[in-house]
Structure formats: structure tokens, C-alpha cells
Amino acid sequence: MRRKDFLTLAGPAVVLMAALLLVPLGTTLVWSFQNVPVGQPGTFTGLANYRDLLGSPRFLDAAAFTVGFAVVATALKVALGYGLALLLTRVRRGRTVLLGFLLASYIVPSVVGALDFSWMFNDVFGGPVNRVLDLVGVQVNWLVDTWPARALVVLHSLWHEVPFVVLVLLAGLQTLPPEPMEAASIDGAGWWQKQRYLVVPALAPVFTFVLLISLMDGLKVFDSIRIMTPAAQQLGTESLMTYVYQVALGDSFRLGAGSAVNVLTMVVTLVLLIPFLRSTWKGARAL
């Protein structure tokens, strides 16, 4: 393809992506060094926003919760998703129906899903989970106590996003050739040895993709927390995104401070994703 034709075809897409990504990113970066009241031009304040944030216990708590949530939820999603994908590979009839049931929670909008999911743990709406726990003498205040509220947010993340992991890993498992597994069986390899030395290494690019997507989803969690735990700051479930909302649009309307939080969130995201990006880069170079 000639350069002129390439620029003609790709130019509009490049301009659109620049307008939608680079311009807001540049504006966020500039605002993070300014005091920007709503509806007024910003004034340069240097690193004041960053100093205030790094010295704020509320911001540090939100960052710690967000990173912890992302890591724990990602690990659980991959483990559960892989287990379910392995089980589905053994299903010969009705696999499509089972996948349809699994994907039902994934295609539901996150706000609607979070509201419905929280009702199962809410005594006001006759939460069935609490009723079952009452039968064994266990009482849990999911929407009032800190750790149960955190567990509830993680459980909703699993309920909503594990089907995506199952779908991706199942597709990867179905592409594996059967010959290495048959040879390993002849050599006396057990199930665990096959998974560790054959299946998981062969699916390394797929696992990397799933981990990247899951980590990024975990770091930007917002909807479920706003719906299930509105008093997130008091409960200890405030994420970086809910903190940005409160700072920039909620209680103080400080767009500069909110932009600084976004910049720091991007830095944290890049730090967490570096190992996976390096692995992806090495795999691409090996091809």
C-alpha cells in the first residue's frame, strides 16, 4: 500500500483517536498543576495538588483499597474462570446453554447488576443470602461493616466479570492440539503436571490478556461501589475513581485536584501492568 493511500485511510481514525484520547489526557495533565474552580480558568499552583494528595490519609486509603481490590479480584477471577473453563471443556451437550447462563450476568449493565446483586444481601428487601446464613446462626452486616462491605464489592466483581474470563480461556483451551496431552498421558503425567507444564504455558498469552483486562477493570472500579456502598468513605470501600468523583464533582468541585488523582492513578496502573506488558513484548519479539 502506498503511503498516500495509507494516510488517506488511517488519517481520519488517527485524528479521531487524538481528539478523544490525547486532548483530554493533555488537559488532565495541565489541570493537575493548577487550581481549577468549576467554570473558571485555572491558576498555576505547581506541585501543590500532588503534595496535598500524597499527604491526605483519605487518598492513601483509597489508593490502598483500589490496589488491593484489583489484585485480589483479578486473582480470584482468573482462578475461578480457569476452573470453570476446564469444567466446560468436559461438557459435550448443552455447553452453549451453560455459557448463555454464565454470560447473563456479564451482559447486564453494571449499575443494574450491582443494584440487583446488593438486594440479595439486603435484609430490607428480604435478602436470600442473609436468610440462608440465619439458618446456620451467622449474621453478617454486609452494607454496614467494613470487611463484609469490601467482600461484597469483590463478590459482585466476580459475579459480573468471571464469565468474560471463562469465555476467553475456554476459547484458548479449545485451540490447543490434543497430541501433546496424549503424549503426556502415555508418559504417565498426571492432571496437575499436564496443567502446569503443558496447558498453562501454552495459554500464557491468553492469561496475560485476561490479567491485563482484569487489572484495569479493578483499578477503575466505580459503579458497583457507588450503588452498593454509597457511604464508601466511612465503610473503607472508597476507590480512586469514587474519590475523584467526590473531589472533582461531589463535595468540593476541585477539578485540579481531581486531575492530579487521575494522573497518579495512571502511574499506579502502569506500574502494575509493567510485568505483563514486558511479557507481551517478549512474546511478540519471539514470533
Side-chain angles (χ1 to χ4, degrees):
M1 179 181 293
R2 294 180 301 175
R3 178 178 299 180
K4 181 179 179 180
D5 295 335
F6 174 79
L7 293 176
T8 301
L9 296 173
V14 172
V15 173
L16 180 62
M17 292 299 292
L20 295 177
L21 296 177
L22 296 181
V23 173
L25 180 62
T27 302
T28 299
L29 187 60
V30 171
W31 280 6
S32 70
F33 297 101
Q34 296 179 343
N35 177 24
V36 188
V38 176
Q40 301 179 28
T43 56
F44 182 75
T45 58
L47 298 175
N49 289 327
Y50 293 98
R51 285 196 300 268
D52 293 342
L53 288 174
L54 296 177
S56 169
R58 181 181 175 185
F59 168 77
L60 297 178
D61 289 343
F65 170 76
T66 303
V67 173
F69 167 81
V71 172
V72 171
T74 296
L76 292 175
K77 279 187 281 189
V78 173
L80 288 174
Y82 184 55
L84 290 173
L86 289 174
L87 290 175
L88 284 174
T89 58
R90 298 176 176 270
V91 176
R92 297 293 178 237
R93 294 182 179 181
R95 182 186 298 173
T96 304
V97 176
L98 291 176
L99 280 174
F101 280 118
L102 279 174
L103 291 173
S105 63
Y106 180 69
I107 63 176
V108 172
S110 58
V111 172
V112 177
L115 184 61
D116 292 344
F117 190 80
S118 66
W119 285 351
M120 295 192 297
F121 300 83
N122 193 331
D123 289 331
V124 176
F125 299 99
V129 174
N130 285 349
R131 291 193 176 189
V132 172
L133 292 176
D134 286 339
L135 296 177
V136 295
V138 177
Q139 292 185 348
V140 181
N141 296 318
W142 299 97
L143 305 177
V144 177
D145 295 336
T146 296
W147 284 104
R150 290 175 174 176
L152 183 62
V153 176
V154 173
L155 288 173
H156 173 261
S157 176
L158 298 178
W159 175 78
H160 181 59
E161 297 172 12
V162 162
F164 169 76
V165 179
V166 173
L167 188 64
V168 174
L169 293 179
L170 179 62
L173 288 169
Q174 291 178 331
T175 63
L176 298 179
E179 290 80 8
M181 300 292 286
E182 295 172 356
S185 298
I186 295 174
D187 292 337
W191 180 86
W192 175 253
Q193 291 173 315
K194 294 177 186 177
Q195 299 300 317
R196 181 179 179 183
Y197 296 107
L198 291 178
V199 179
V200 173
L203 293 180
V206 180
F207 277 110
T208 301
F209 170 75
V210 169
L211 288 168
L212 284 170
I213 297 298
S214 298
L215 269 177
M216 288 189 292
D217 284 341
L219 291 171
K220 64 182 180 66
V221 60
F222 174 79
D223 295 347
S224 60
I225 293 177
R226 287 286 298 172
I227 295 298
M228 295 191 296
T229 59
Q233 181 183 355
Q234 291 74 23
L235 281 176
T237 59
E238 187 173 46
S239 68
L240 287 172
M241 294 299 99
T242 56
Y243 179 72
V244 168
Y245 174 81
Q246 290 298 329
V247 169
L249 301 174
D251 49 15
S252 59
F253 295 98
R254 293 182 295 155
L255 298 180
S259 298
V261 177
N262 283 328
V263 172
L264 291 177
T265 302
M266 287 186 283
V267 172
V268 172
T269 302
L270 287 175
V271 170
L272 290 177
L273 296 184
I274 281 175
F276 305 105
L277 295 175
R278 289 182 61 187
S279 175
T280 302
W281 174 251
K282 290 180 180 178
R285 291 187 63 183
L287 295 177

